[in-house]
Amino acid sequence: MKTKRILVTGGLGFIGSHTVVALQNEGYEVVIIDNLSNSSLDVLAGITQITGKTPEFENIDLREKAAVKSFFDQYTDIEDVIHFAASKAVGESVTNPLLYYENNISTLVYLLHELNKKEGARFIFSSSCTVYGQADELPITEDAPVKKAESPYGNTKQIGEEIIHDTCKTNVDFKAISLRYFNPIGAHPTAEIGELPIGTPQNLVPFITQTAIGKREELSVFGDDYPTNDGTAVRDYIHVMDLAEAHVHALQRLMHGKEKNNYEVFNLGTGKGNSVLEVINSFEKVSGEKLPHKIVGRREGDITAAYADTTKANNELNWKAERTLDDALKSAWKWQQVVKRKEEEEN
Ligand code: WQD
């Protein structure tokens, strides 16, 4: 019997591509939908290089409702979807909210509309710890209250979860899990795939590696006056391969009927918080590079600290983040060196 194919939307993106590798490593056949707005076909080659298997690929923009329908008319076997495709830059969402509501919400509705026609489709949603804002208690459990989003990006994740939950309430045969990521960092150990920020990186780790490689002058540390051990903000940095593997465990939970109800939420983190300065120290240790950095004022909208209570994911998903902060930063640095070499070869 032909293995049922898994659809990964945004499968050429940072977390999506690593999840495709994890799915293929588990023997699944993968179909990727990506509109290449924030990725490139080099990523498809990278995936193939790692696993020896080229996923099927459809260059589709999920904002085109008719294109989404014709995809499912063609791929009638697909009833498992991991949905990454979305815009994810917090700052950009503030300056261009409608782009975020169209690209992150309309696309989700079109996908759910098609899946609702099937018997027992299964859906894994890429959400974010940003829905908690600054949680009142740490570590953060899944029962922590969802707070008013600080950005349209964060709002699209909250609204997305509610749309999925409402869909599950009306269709008991439809099963879904929202995965709330903490801070994904690092790259596949082969350095065949990794994070490819377009323009100036907003996130800490790609800015660190681009500074160390000489592409950026120095890292600005956004504030050292937070109520933390060293004054810099604390986050739960999780290796992207640990995160990818958690998606396979979540899908298998639904495939094997282990879910407690047809809509569930899981926090995906290491359970450990690290400050910006601790990340810099770890990077300098694993890379042997001195990282030029300076302390500047806080960034608007940043929270003091966030790290996950991983009990539920560890117990229910039979999954635990195994890789360390050092592992993640080492892989990020190896990837950055490969990117630089490829850029030099192209020029
Ligand atoms: C981490 C820490 C910064 C850059 C966001 C989104 C979240 C997810 C991950 C998409 C903070 C500090 C950063 C820099 C710095 N995105 N920093 N100098 O803001 O925790 O989370 O990205 O899914 O949804 O909210 O991640 O990497 O931007 O920042 O000092 O140049 O590093 O202040 O304390 P963040 P980040």
Side-chain angles (χ1 to χ4, degrees):
M1 193 251 296
K2 183 164 170 44
T3 321
K4 265 197 294 218
R5 293 174 290 189
I6 313 286
L7 169 59
V8 178
T9 74
L12 294 184
F14 174 39
I15 302 164
S17 56
H18 289 80
T19 302
V20 170
V21 166
L23 285 164
Q24 289 184 324
N25 288 344
E26 281 290 301
Y28 293 103
E29 297 293 321
V30 176
V31 180
I32 291 173
I33 284 180
D34 203 299
N35 68 359
L36 299 176
S37 63
N38 190 21
S39 58
S40 90
L41 282 175
D42 294 348
V43 178
L44 198 58
I47 292 168
T48 306
Q49 199 60 35
I50 295 169
T51 64
K53 289 177 282 187
T54 302
E56 291 175 78
F57 168 65
E58 297 285 357
N59 182 348
I60 292 172
D61 189 326
L62 295 173
R63 288 172 295 189
E64 307 295 330
K65 186 177 181 181
V68 175
K69 181 180 182 315
S70 59
F71 173 86
F72 284 99
D73 289 347
Q74 181 189 343
Y75 288 83
T76 51
D77 60 305
I78 286 182
E79 53 189 23
D80 293 297
V81 179
I82 304 183
H83 179 45
F84 293 101
S87 301
K88 61 163 194 171
V90 175
E92 182 189 44
S93 78
V94 175
T95 54
N96 194 348
L98 287 181
L99 177 128
Y100 275 69
Y101 289 114
E102 183 186 33
N103 196 37
N104 293 8
I105 301 296
S106 315
T107 54
L108 173 63
V109 172
Y110 300 156
L111 275 174
L112 294 175
H113 185 68
E114 293 306 318
L115 293 176
N116 240 358
K117 298 174 186 172
K118 295 176 175 286
E119 292 292 315
R122 294 171 285 250
F123 192 74
I124 306 294
F125 179 61
S126 167
S127 190
S128 168
C129 66
T130 202
V131 302
Y132 298 116
Q134 176 55 70
D136 301 324
E137 288 176 39
L138 294 172
I140 304 173
T141 67
E142 288 81 356
D143 303 325
V146 168
K147 292 194 175 169
K148 168 128 183 53
E150 307 259 342
S151 68
Y153 159 75
N155 205 22
T156 65
K157 290 302 178 185
Q158 290 179 7
I159 296 168
E161 288 190 6
E162 287 167 21
I163 290 170
I164 296 163
H165 196 179
D166 288 343
T167 305
C168 292
K169 284 175 192 164
T170 57
N171 177 355
V172 291
D173 294 328
F174 177 67
K175 307 197 277 191
I177 288 177
S178 288
L179 297 175
R180 292 173 178 168
Y181 310 156
F182 280 67
N183 287 60
I185 62 168
H188 192 271
T190 61
E192 291 293 345
I193 55 175
E195 196 168 4
L196 278 168
I198 293 177
T200 307
Q202 298 306 303
N203 294 132
L204 177 66
V205 171
F207 204 104
I208 286 178
T209 58
Q210 287 192 9
T211 302
I213 205 87
K215 192 168 183 173
R216 308 285 162 197
E217 277 295 296
E218 72 178 336
L219 171 76
S220 294
V221 175
F222 297 143
D224 68 346
D225 59 348
Y226 286 100
T228 61
N229 288 346
D230 61 22
T232 62
V234 168
R235 296 290 186 274
D236 184 333
Y237 296 96
I238 178 170
H239 195 297
V240 65
M241 280 312 296
D242 278 325
L243 195 62
E245 288 157 9
H247 287 73
V248 181
H249 284 251
L251 189 60
Q252 289 172 334
R253 177 179 174 82
L254 299 183
M255 286 172 165
H256 304 150
K258 300 277 191 221
E259 73 280 357
K260 292 229 167 71
N261 47 61
N262 72 330
Y263 180 67
E264 294 177 304
V265 174
F266 292 95
N267 286 344
L268 295 184
T270 65
K272 186 176 176 341
N274 282 108
S275 73
V276 177
L277 289 180
E278 284 169 344
V279 173
I280 293 170
N281 293 339
S282 166
F283 178 79
E284 291 184 331
K285 180 179 67 174
V286 300
S287 66
E289 302 285 333
K290 193 86 191 85
L291 190 86
H293 61 280
K294 64 179 175 183
I295 306 291
V296 299
R298 294 183 178 189
R299 178 172 64 178
E300 184 67 30
D302 273 356
I303 58 169
T304 299
Y307 49 92
D309 179 317
T310 60
T311 312
K312 188 180 173 189
N314 297 156
N315 295 342
E316 305 286 339
L317 295 184
N318 183 31
W319 166 89
K320 185 172 168 45
E322 302 294 347
R323 298 161 180 93
T324 65
L325 177 66
D326 287 359
D327 296 332
L329 292 169
K330 194 171 172 190
S331 67
W333 179 229
K334 182 178 175 187
W335 165 247
Q336 182 66 68
Q337 292 171 298
V338 165
V339 168
K340 178 175 167 71
R341 197 165 55 245
K342 284 182 177 171
E343 284 171 349
E344 286 166 346
E345 285 161 7
E346 278 158 19
N347 297 336

